[in-house]
Coordinates of all heavy atoms in Angstrom, one line a residue:
L257 N 163.3 43.1 112.7 CA 163.1 44.4 113.3 C 162.8 44.3 114.8 O 163.5 44.9 115.7 CB 162.2 45.3 112.7 CG 162.5 45.7 111.2 CD1 161.3 46.3 110.5 CD2 163.7 46.7 111.2
A258 N 161.9 43.5 115.1 CA 161.5 43.2 116.6 C 162.7 42.7 117.4 O 163.1 43.1 118.4 CB 160.3 42.3 116.7
D259 N 163.4 41.6 116.8 CA 164.6 41.1 117.4 C 165.6 42.2 117.8 O 166.3 42.2 118.8 CB 165.2 40.0 116.7 CG 164.2 38.8 116.6 OD1 163.3 38.7 117.5 OD2 164.4 37.9 115.8
A260 N 165.8 43.0 116.8 CA 166.9 44.1 116.8 C 166.6 45.0 117.9 O 167.5 45.5 118.7 CB 167.1 44.8 115.5
L261 N 165.4 45.5 118.1 CA 165.0 46.4 119.1 C 165.2 45.8 120.4 O 165.6 46.3 121.4 CB 163.4 46.7 118.9 CG 163.1 47.8 117.9 CD1 161.5 48.1 117.9 CD2 163.8 49.2 118.2
D262 N 164.7 44.5 120.6 CA 164.9 43.8 121.9 C 166.3 43.7 122.3 O 166.7 43.9 123.5 CB 164.2 42.5 121.8 CG 162.7 42.4 121.8 OD1 162.2 43.6 122.3 OD2 162.1 41.5 121.5
A263 N 167.2 43.5 121.3 CA 168.6 43.2 121.7 C 169.3 44.6 122.1 O 170.2 44.4 122.9 CB 169.3 42.7 120.4
R264 N 168.6 45.7 121.7 CA 169.2 47.0 122.2 C 168.3 47.7 123.2 O 168.4 48.9 123.4 CB 169.4 47.8 120.9 CG 170.4 47.3 119.9 CD 171.8 47.6 120.1 NE 172.0 49.1 120.2 CZ 172.2 49.8 119.1 NH1 172.1 49.3 117.8 NH2 172.4 51.1 119.2
A265 N 167.4 47.0 123.8 CA 166.3 47.6 124.6 C 166.9 48.5 125.7 O 166.5 49.6 125.9 CB 165.4 46.5 125.2
N266 N 167.9 48.0 126.5 CA 168.4 48.8 127.6 C 169.0 50.1 127.2 O 168.7 51.2 127.8 CB 169.4 47.8 128.4 CG 168.7 46.7 129.1 OD1 167.5 46.7 129.4 ND2 169.6 45.7 129.4
E267 N 169.8 49.9 126.1 CA 170.5 51.1 125.7 C 169.5 52.2 125.1 O 169.7 53.3 125.3 CB 171.6 50.7 124.6 CG 172.2 51.8 123.8 CD 172.9 51.3 122.5 OE1 173.1 50.1 122.4 OE2 173.2 52.2 121.8
L268 N 168.5 51.6 124.4 CA 167.5 52.6 123.7 C 166.7 53.2 124.8 O 166.3 54.4 124.7 CB 166.7 51.7 122.8 CG 167.4 51.3 121.4 CD1 166.5 50.4 120.7 CD2 168.0 52.4 120.6
A269 N 166.3 52.5 125.9 CA 165.6 53.0 127.0 C 166.2 54.2 127.6 O 165.6 55.2 127.9 CB 165.1 51.9 127.9

Side-chain angles (χ1 to χ4, degrees):
L257 290 169
D259 291 344
L261 279 181
D262 286 344
R264 301 274 299 277
N266 292 339
E267 172 192 348
L268 292 174

